[in-house]
Amino acid sequence: METKEQLLARLKEIEEWEDDQKGLFFWEKIGRIPFKILDKLTPAFIQKKIGVLLDELGSFIQGGGKYLTQKNGMLKKVQQLVPDKTIETIDDLKTVPLNVMNIVSGDLKTNRGNVATVQGATTGFGGVFTLAVDIPVILGLSLKTLQEIAVIYGYDPDEKEERIFIVKCLQFASADVVGKEAILNELSGYYGRSAKPADMLSKLQGWREVVYTYRDHFGLKKLLQMVPVAGMLFGAYTNRSMIKDIAEAGIMLYQKRRILERLETESPFVIENEKGTQI
């Protein structure tokens, strides 16, 4: 297991990453505009598909819906790297070294990015008509990826509180500057001795905005993907970058939870690190 100093050093790196996320590149700023226009041009069948996404995300939060993932695959991957431990349940993962968790989640991020690339190129080939297929598929892949990351760090996506956290990770990955800071403040409820994850449910009253933000974030890229054939390139790039951003957010936010829990276990007293995060 890691020393307290190693955990604090890694925590500082994650908090620096959080600060970097609060910046918004010019490309992302203009990338949010087109869907406001595109809404008026989008065929009815795509609008209907987006409406279905709202219902599916609500179903995921409430009961997991069709998006609940298999945990055994992640358990086996971790087991291969820690042959001296017995990994049979998610609870067994809680004592796995952090560097092992990071290796497995990093491999998952690469694998899911490759899957998304193929998916985006395939659906981008047909332009606007296959875009209706791409949107729900990429949402499903996003939720599956975040659930698997949760498992790797020792958290059970079968629990409703974890599914709420997963949706907040999804929202964080596609939020603007103000949104990212607000979400980080909300997620602080999951950290440390004062953790009350159930309180997060009340903050998800506007969870439908997650789908719209998720969609708008890639507005310009998806607009370019609507061009038949040429959409292959844009679709491959869009989906790959989207999944990798979502995976990175999940890895960092779940890793932070695991670090803070280990620090709290090691020291029963509430202390503060350099950024003032309670431990």
Side-chain angles (χ1 to χ4, degrees), residues 160-168 190 200-201 204:
K160 186 174 182 179
E161 292 169 353
E162 287 308 323
R163 293 196 297 274
I164 294 172
F165 188 88
I166 284 168
V167 171
K168 296 306 290 185
Y190 276 77
M200 290 290 292
L201 185 59
L204 267 178

Side-chain angles (χ1 to χ4, degrees), residues 202-269:
S202 63
K203 296 179 181 179
L204 267 178
Q205 295 301 317
W207 61 264
R208 289 173 177 264
E209 74 184 46
V210 178
V211 171
Y212 290 119
T213 303
Y214 179 87
R215 179 199 64 176
D216 290 349
H217 181 65
F218 289 86
L220 182 58
K221 300 168 188 174
K222 287 297 183 185
L223 177 62
L224 296 172
Q225 188 179 340
M226 291 177 68
V227 181
V229 184
M232 289 179 63
L233 297 176
F234 297 115
Y237 167 74
T238 298
N239 286 9
R240 182 181 183 85
S241 62
M242 187 174 199
I243 290 298
K244 295 192 83 170
D245 287 348
I246 288 170
E248 180 177 319
I251 289 170
M252 290 297 190
L253 296 174
Y254 267 110
Q255 187 179 173
K256 183 177 181 179
R257 283 179 66 185
R258 181 53 62 206
I259 289 173
L260 290 175
E261 286 183 21
R262 288 185 179 177
L263 285 169
E264 182 181 333
T265 300
E266 182 175 318
S267 175
F269 303 101

Side-chain angles (χ1 to χ4, degrees), residues 26-47:
F26 176 73
W27 169 262
E28 300 301 341
K29 290 180 180 178
I30 64 173
R32 298 174 190 278
I33 300 173
F35 254 119
K36 293 180 172 61
I37 302 172
L38 195 58
D39 278 338
K40 300 178 181 179
L41 306 176
T42 302
F45 68 90
I46 291 184
Q47 293 283 13

Side-chain angles (χ1 to χ4, degrees), residues 167-181:
V167 171
K168 296 306 290 185
C169 288
L170 180 67
Q171 188 178 15
F172 175 83
S174 55
D176 57 18
V177 177
V178 176
K180 285 183 185 293
E181 189 156 9

